[in-house]
Amino acid sequence: MRQLIIIGSGPAGYTAAIYAARANLKPLVVASSVEAGGELMNTTEVENFPGFPEGVQGPDLMTKMQEQAERFGAEVVYDDVTALDLAGSVKRVTLGSGRVEEADALIFATGSAYRKIGIAGEERLSGRGVSWCATCDGFFFRERTIAVVGGGDSAMEEATFLTRFASKIYVIHRRDELRASKIMQERAFANDKIEFVWNSAVTDILGEDAVTGVQLTSTVDGSTRELELQGLFVAIGNDPRTHLVHDQLELTAEGTIWVDGRSSRTSVPGVFAAGDVIDPTYRQAVTAAASGTVAALDAEHFLAALDEAGTPAPDADQIEGLPVL
Ligand code: NAP
């Protein structure tokens, strides 16, 4: 049996792995089969991660984090968790391959998943003009007219990046002011290829086999109109990935995993959580990395206390005072 399993391979998971590996806990990192490295694998230049004054490519940063964790003894497996059993003192993790791993402690750092608009056409035309990843799919829209939905940093980043390919980019936002940081806004405003469509919601995506346009509904007076385009990039935020644990760990009203104060301790002893999956507010690579550090230190203390006591970890139902949310 292992001491520690880390689920997730974004900045939180790998930073937790670096700390845990340096503490000689020999953590297993379950990195996912298709999304290893997390969200930064889908981004280009990261300009705000400290230590890189010239910026760093997202995938390069994640490769370096992985190498750093492995250098100290972390083991990385490219597989998905299909089932988790957290209730007992031994945490059981079932992988897609059927392999079952057990550990005394577990760090859950699964990040967040792209949010969907939830309208007709979105699923049907996914991969046929509807995308959530400009760096993955931008290339297919050379000299096309496309739109990005959203008003946050992601939408500004995607729109600006897509100007490399598309001839015209609408940014469709439901309000008349952006949520994005000033620097990202200004960059988008200064780009001639980008036109803002304010106070508008995308209420339908048009096209049979490929996107031909969208229906817009005014959030001010409810009037509708159609906009012709060939691609739609959805960048309206993310939701924490909690489907594996929503019936085993307490969640907050925002849908993130509940943790005790500034710690990473969840409602189940021996289970710690870090990164976007506990953070409804900041969700930066550097805050996720810091959160991974907290989780590794908490797990280390938990395991050290187990060693000292020489007893198995308490089961969840033996702990009083769990939060009622
Ligand atoms: P976000 O900040 O939550 O912004 C989401 C945007 O989508 C908001 O403008 C929101 O509108 C809009 N929206 C949400 N649900 C919608 C819906 N159902 N229909 C239409 N519009 C909807 O998410 P984000 O832009 O993905 O950024 C997430 C975090 O990552 C932020 O902390 C951000 O700073 C960070 N980030 C940083 C960088 C960078 O620094 N380079 C790049 C990307 C992301 P309202 O404004 O009306 O709520």
Side-chain angles (χ1 to χ4, degrees):
M1 189 170 75
R2 294 174 187 272
Q3 286 189 284
L4 177 66
I5 296 173
I6 297 168
I7 302 175
S9 56
Y14 276 141
T15 307
I18 292 166
Y19 273 74
R22 289 191 76 251
N24 212 19
L25 298 178
K26 300 185 175 57
L28 174 72
V29 180
V30 183
S32 163
S33 58
V34 286
E35 292 179 313
E39 244 181 281
L40 285 186
M41 297 302 280
N42 294 329
T43 192
T44 48
E45 188 95 347
V46 179
E47 293 177 332
N48 51 13
F49 201 90
F52 296 92
E54 312 300 333
V56 58
Q57 294 294 310
D60 292 345
L61 181 60
M62 295 322 299
T63 303
K64 283 189 188 302
M65 284 194 199
Q66 177 176 350
E67 284 171 6
Q68 199 171 347
E70 287 176 325
R71 180 181 154 214
F72 296 112
E75 181 186 337
V76 178
V77 57
Y78 296 100
D79 204 343
D80 302 305
V81 175
T82 54
L84 270 180
D85 183 358
L86 304 179
S89 55
V90 175
K91 315 302 172 199
R92 279 192 191 80
V93 179
T94 307
L95 303 181
S97 62
R99 175 172 150 190
V100 177
E101 290 283 344
E102 296 182 339
D104 287 323
L106 189 136
I107 294 175
F108 199 75
T110 49
S112 55
Y114 297 127
R115 189 173 293 156
K116 297 191 171 166
I117 308 174
I119 52 169
E122 195 177 14
E123 290 295 337
R124 184 170 51 85
L125 293 167
S126 166
R128 295 158 179 249
V130 178
S131 171
W132 284 262
C133 177
T135 48
C136 315
D137 299 329
F139 185 78
F140 300 116
F141 295 91
R142 277 181 185 283
E143 300 306 320
R144 302 287 172 88
T145 298
I146 61 175
V148 175
V149 191
D153 280 337
S154 295
M156 297 311 109
E157 191 172 70
E158 303 264 280
T160 306
F161 175 76
L162 286 164
T163 58
R164 295 185 193 186
F165 309 103
S167 51
K168 167 95 187 168
I169 296 156
Y170 296 104
V171 173
I172 303 167
H173 185 37
R174 62 186 179 184
R175 294 187 293 137
D176 64 357
E177 63 180 338
L178 298 172
R179 180 177 296 277
S181 57
K182 272 277 170 290
I183 186 169
M184 306 285 273
Q185 293 193 21
E186 279 161 15
R187 209 169 281 169
F189 286 144
N191 198 309
D192 289 343
K193 284 188 177 178
I194 298 177
E195 180 180 333
F196 284 80
V197 180
W198 302 106
N199 297 314
S200 298
V202 176
T203 44
D204 199 3
I205 305 174
L206 312 171
E208 281 304 313
D209 302 322
V211 172
T212 56
V214 291
Q215 182 193 60
L216 299 178
T217 299
S218 164
T219 54
V220 177
D221 60 16
S223 61
T224 60
R225 70 181 172 108
E226 287 184 7
L227 191 61
E228 219 174 275
L229 42 79
Q230 291 90 48
L232 185 71
F233 286 81
V234 181
I236 59 173
N238 297 61
D239 293 311
R241 255 198 216 101
T242 56
H243 60 283
L244 285 166
V245 294
H246 68 266
D247 55 351
Q248 301 190 68
L249 299 179
E250 297 288 341
L251 302 182
T252 67
E254 286 117 339
T256 50
I257 293 175
W258 177 88
V259 289
D260 186 7
R262 296 185 63 195
S263 82
S264 65
R265 291 187 298 273
T266 70
S267 54
V268 171
V271 179
F272 305 88
D276 279 11
V277 80
I278 66 166
D279 179 5
T281 314
Y282 301 106
R283 304 202 311 257
Q284 304 294 306
V286 71
T287 52
S291 169
T293 304
V294 170
L297 296 176
D298 285 344
E300 200 183 326
H301 291 149
F302 173 84
L303 290 166
L306 276 191
D307 270 357
E308 268 173 35
T311 52
D315 289 349
D317 56 9
Q318 293 165 5
I319 299 288
E320 288 176 8
L322 291 183
V324 180
L325 295 166

